[in-house]
């Protein structure tokens, strides 16, 4: 019977998995190689670590990226700066008393099955502290929460002449701020979220900025109707309509409110794929050339990698890791290892990783029964070919609400919409026609939270609160008073007022 669980990583996913383990009566021990929580959301100057740049603002709004039983403070902006995201994580960790379960400055070196794994399903976890102290621990289960921004994809072999480039070049994960970019000519290769953000950031100080894109992208703004966050404008009803007219996602979508304006003003110019480098020049597929380029930034994405896991657990189906439900390797005799947070969608990763953790812990406990290995492999293949857009650009892509609902149904926390309309029509209208916020998955079933209903009904107030920073006086009621007089006073008095 599973009791002890190793959680690897104390970022967004790791924190929710610690909390979920405690919720399910399990004993979590989290190993975090750095000195603090937050993972990629902790801005830092540490080599060989996934990082963010100084100006990063989260693409998902605070209500859509919230933990399902911990609404963000109302005063926080709807699209938070990275420092505010980290502050929210600290509040969450402190509220649920997660910090005592985390071993900081402790890196996981190896995870392997115990000699009696066929009988026990247990794992040996080798760790090393920053002071060099090494230990081996035995756990009943393991949850990997290291994410997919750890190993930069740096395809230099695809760019002839780069080895002789006379300027400076580096991967976007090394980028922190605009220091050293003043007055430079900069080429950013890649037009994903990072490429677009970095190009906009640098365009404020550089002489010229070019963005090279091999396939183009759809650019979505963070601001939606009425000045509210764009991502809250899609409801469950939209998802239902979408199910009747399904589309296969093949385009690269990015969130960037400033990029179109910078392109319109000429501060950023879009170019096709880079063909080659020649001295300080960059040659593009269409034959155009930019001379005297000072800096090239490769915003070419990341390769997810788990060097501490056994190789046989890292098999792939197409471009994606072979994981049932994007969580558990189907080849395990005992399903006691889960990968959480290795996923992407047109929506926040946080609710998905939290739901993955809730699903995984109930698999560990034997409450959710998995199908046969053959069936799981067949489902993985079908998802890769049909349901999911699986390419080198989007190897981890799923459809946000359908994926959440599929896991929620097995966990037993999917809202009963008919029952809600019969018993609580006000709440039902919000759940079906309002934004699909994570609190919906705390209304019923395991982990039910008594505050979920109020969190849903008050979510609009928390969205509007950050805008209340300018006090506007009430309009004068003089004219309204005169109108009342017109209907209540004699003609002679009316004339004297007019």
């Amino acid at each position: 019977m599973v009791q002890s669980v190793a959680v690897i990583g104390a970022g967004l996913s790791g924190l929710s998995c610690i909390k979920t383990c405690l919720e399910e009566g399990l004993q979590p021990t989290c190993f975090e190689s750095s000195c603090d929580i937050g993972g990629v959301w902790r801005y830092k100057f540490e080599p060989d670590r996934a990082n963010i740049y100084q100006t990063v603002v989260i693409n998902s709004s605070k209500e859509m990226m919230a933990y399902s039983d911990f609404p963000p403070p109302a005063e926080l902006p709807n699209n938070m700066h990275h420092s505010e995201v980290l502050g929210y994580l600290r509040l969450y960790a402190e509220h649920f008393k997660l910090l005592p379960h985390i071993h900081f400055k402790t890196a996981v070196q190896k995870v392997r099955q115990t000699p009696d794994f066929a009988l026990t399903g247990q794992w040996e976890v080798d760790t090393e502290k920053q002071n060099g102290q090494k230990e081996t621990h035995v756990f009943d289960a393991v949850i990997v929460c290291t994410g997919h921004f750890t190993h930069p994809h740096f395809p230099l072999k695809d760019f002839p002449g780069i080895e002789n480039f006379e300027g400076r070049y580096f991967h976007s994960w090394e980028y922190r701020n605009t220091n050293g970019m003043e007055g430079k000519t900069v080429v950013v290769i890649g037009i994903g979220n990072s490429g677009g953000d970095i190009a906009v950031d640098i365009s404020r100080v550089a002489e010229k900025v070019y963005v090279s894109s091999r396939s183009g992208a759809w650019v979505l703004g963070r601001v939606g109707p009425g000045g509210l966050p764009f991502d809250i404008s899609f409801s469950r009803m939209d998802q239902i309509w979408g199910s009747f007219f399904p589309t296969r996602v093949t385009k690269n979508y990015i969130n960037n409110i400033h990029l179109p304006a910078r392109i319109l003003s000429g501060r950023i110019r879009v170019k096709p794929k880079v063909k080659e480098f020649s001295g300080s020049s960059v040659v593009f597929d269409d034959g155009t050339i930019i001379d005297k380029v000072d800096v090239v930034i490769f915003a070419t994405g990341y390769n997810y990698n788990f060097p501490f896991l056994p190789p046989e657990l890292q098999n792939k189906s197409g471009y994606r890791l072979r994981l049932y439900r994007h969580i558990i390797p189907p080849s395990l005799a005992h399903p006691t290892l889960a990968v959480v947070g290795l996923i992407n969608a047109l929506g926040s990763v946080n609710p998905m990783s939290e739901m993955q953790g809730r699903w995984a812990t109930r698999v560990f406990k034997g409450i959710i029964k998995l199908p046969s290995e053959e069936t799981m492999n067949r489902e993985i293949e079908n998802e890769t070919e049909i349901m999911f857009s699986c390419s080198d650009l989007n190897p981890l892509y799923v459809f946000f609400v359908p994926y959440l609902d599929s896991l929620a149904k097995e966990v037993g926390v999917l809202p009963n919409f008919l029952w809600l309309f019969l018993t609580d029509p006000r709440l039902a209208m919000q759940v079906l026609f309002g934004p699909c916020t994570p609190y919906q998955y705390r209304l019923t079933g395991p982990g039910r939270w008594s505050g979920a209903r109020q969190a849903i009904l008050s979510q609009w107030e928390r969205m509007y609160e950050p805008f209340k920073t300018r006090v506007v006086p009430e309009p004068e009621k003089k004219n309204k008073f005169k109108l009342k007089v017109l209907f209540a006073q004699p003609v002679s008095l009316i004339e004297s007022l007019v």
Side-chain angles (χ1 to χ4, degrees):
M1 181 178 179
V2 171
Q3 286 295 322
S4 61
V5 180
V7 178
I8 305 175
L12 280 171
S13 301
L15 292 175
S16 64
C17 284
I18 298 170
K19 192 259 184 183
T20 297
C21 285
L22 295 172
E23 196 172 71
E24 290 288 346
L26 304 176
Q27 301 164 4
T29 300
C30 178
F31 299 109
E32 169 56 47
S33 60
S34 72
C35 61
D36 201 358
I37 66 169
V40 72
W41 287 105
R42 184 170 61 84
Y43 182 71
K44 48 197 174 291
F45 286 91
E46 299 177 20
D48 301 323
R49 287 190 184 278
N51 205 347
I52 49 179
Y53 31 97
Q54 200 166 17
T55 58
V56 163
V57 172
I58 195 166
N59 287 325
S60 299
S61 64
K62 66 180 181 182
E63 296 298 319
M64 295 301 295
M65 64 79 61
Y67 290 112
S68 60
D69 52 0
F70 195 71
E75 65 272 13
L76 286 176
N78 284 299
N79 287 94
M80 295 183 283
H81 183 259
H82 64 77
S83 60
E84 292 159 326
V85 175
L86 182 59
Y88 172 68
L89 298 183
R90 293 198 192 285
L91 291 175
Y92 179 79
E94 292 166 3
H95 180 78
F96 291 109
K97 299 178 173 58
L98 307 181
L99 296 179
H101 302 277
I102 305 174
H103 294 251
F104 293 107
K105 299 181 180 180
T106 306
V108 171
Q109 301 295 332
K110 196 171 187 62
V111 175
R112 60 182 177 275
Q113 298 176 356
T114 58
D116 60 350
F117 179 84
L119 180 64
T120 65
Q122 292 181 323
W123 299 85
E124 291 180 351
V125 178
D126 294 342
T127 62
E128 183 175 358
K129 296 182 179 295
Q130 285 189 5
N131 62 10
Q133 180 183 349
K134 297 182 180 181
E135 294 182 282
T136 297
H137 317 259
V138 175
F139 291 95
D140 298 321
V142 175
I143 305 178
V144 179
C145 302
T146 54
H148 50 91
F149 297 114
T150 54
H151 294 79
H153 178 55
F154 212 173
L156 297 182
K157 60 180 178 58
D158 295 336
F159 298 90
I162 186 63
E163 66 279 1
N164 298 317
F165 177 59
E166 295 175 1
R168 176 189 175 202
Y169 66 90
F170 57 92
H171 192 275
S172 59
W173 91 319
E174 297 181 36
Y175 180 78
R176 299 294 179 269
N177 50 49
T178 61
N179 292 348
M181 300 293 169
E182 297 86 351
K184 305 293 186 182
T185 297
V186 181
V187 173
V188 179
I189 297 177
I191 197 171
N193 285 319
S194 295
D197 279 353
I198 290 172
V200 168
D201 199 26
I202 294 174
S203 69
R204 297 186 174 99
V205 301
E207 177 68 23
K208 297 177 182 177
V209 176
Y210 300 87
V211 173
S212 168
S213 172
R214 63 177 179 176
S215 58
W218 292 95
V219 181
L220 305 177
R222 295 188 181 101
V223 181
L228 291 174
F230 178 78
D231 61 357
I232 68 161
S233 60
F234 297 98
S235 66
R236 281 187 173 278
M237 184 56 70
D238 294 318
Q239 296 289 336
I240 293 173
W241 281 113
S243 67
F244 290 105
F245 305 98
T247 58
R248 182 177 177 87
V249 178
T250 57
K251 290 290 184 182
N252 179 25
Y253 287 86
I254 69 171
N255 292 82
N256 194 302
I257 192 172
H258 300 293
L259 183 59
R262 305 303 281 182
I263 293 173
L264 283 172
S265 65
R267 299 306 302 156
I268 295 175
R269 299 183 182 183
V270 180
K271 302 294 290 182
K273 180 182 177 182
V274 172
K275 180 180 180 181
E276 62 181 350
F277 291 86
S278 178
S280 64
S281 300
V282 179
V283 183
F284 297 92
D285 268 357
D286 62 357
T288 58
I289 301 174
I290 301 174
D291 296 317
K292 297 181 180 179
V293 175
D294 299 296
V295 181
V296 175
I297 301 175
F298 287 83
T300 46
Y302 294 83
N303 294 319
Y304 53 88
N305 188 24
F306 306 98
F308 49 82
L309 288 181
E312 62 270 18
L313 297 183
Q314 301 191 52
N315 295 326
K316 291 186 177 181
S317 175
Y319 293 101
R320 59 178 283 211
L321 201 63
R322 184 174 287 273
L323 297 171
Y324 180 65
R325 299 289 200 186
H326 288 263
I327 305 170
I328 288 182
S331 59
L332 294 174
H334 295 276
T336 53
L337 182 140
V339 178
V340 167
L342 187 68
I343 200 162
N344 192 20
L346 278 178
S348 175
V349 170
N350 199 32
M352 294 191 292
S353 62
E354 184 186 22
M355 185 62 72
Q356 286 181 325
R358 296 175 73 181
W359 184 87
T361 51
R362 295 181 74 77
V363 170
F364 293 164
K365 294 174 68 175
I367 299 173
I368 296 176
K369 305 293 184 182
L370 300 184
S372 67
E373 180 180 353
E374 180 183 0
T375 299
M376 287 190 284
N377 279 321
R378 185 166 59 248
E379 288 191 25
I380 291 171
E381 294 295 338
N382 290 340
E383 288 172 349
T384 303
E385 289 296 323
I386 302 172
M387 183 177 178
F388 293 84
S389 175
C390 189
S391 69
D392 60 338
L393 290 175
N394 294 305
L396 311 170
Y397 193 89
V398 298
F399 294 104
F400 184 62
V401 174
Y403 179 73
L404 279 171
D405 282 355
S406 67
L407 294 181
K409 184 176 182 180
E410 295 187 27
V411 175
V413 297
L414 183 66
N416 186 323
F417 305 110
L418 178 60
W419 180 251
L420 278 180
F421 270 107
L422 292 175
T423 60
D424 196 339
R426 181 187 176 197
L427 178 62
M429 291 294 288
Q430 286 289 333
V431 169
L432 192 59
F433 295 99
C436 187
T437 46
Y439 322 120
Q440 297 186 10
Y441 301 109
R442 292 285 178 177
L443 289 169
T444 187
R448 180 182 178 275
W449 175 43
S450 60
R453 180 181 186 274
Q454 182 57 29
I456 294 171
L457 296 180
S458 61
Q459 61 194 7
W460 293 101
E461 297 173 18
R462 291 191 298 277
M463 292 180 209
Y464 282 113
E465 182 64 27
F467 299 111
K468 298 177 181 180
T469 56
R470 183 173 67 93
V471 178
V472 180
E474 290 290 329
E476 293 185 16
K477 298 182 179 180
K478 184 177 179 180
N479 291 335
K480 185 180 293 186
F481 174 73
K482 282 187 177 182
L483 185 62
K484 291 181 179 178
V485 172
L486 285 170
F487 289 96
Q489 302 299 329
V491 173
S492 59
L493 179 58
I494 295 173
E495 290 175 347
S496 66
L497 289 173
V498 174

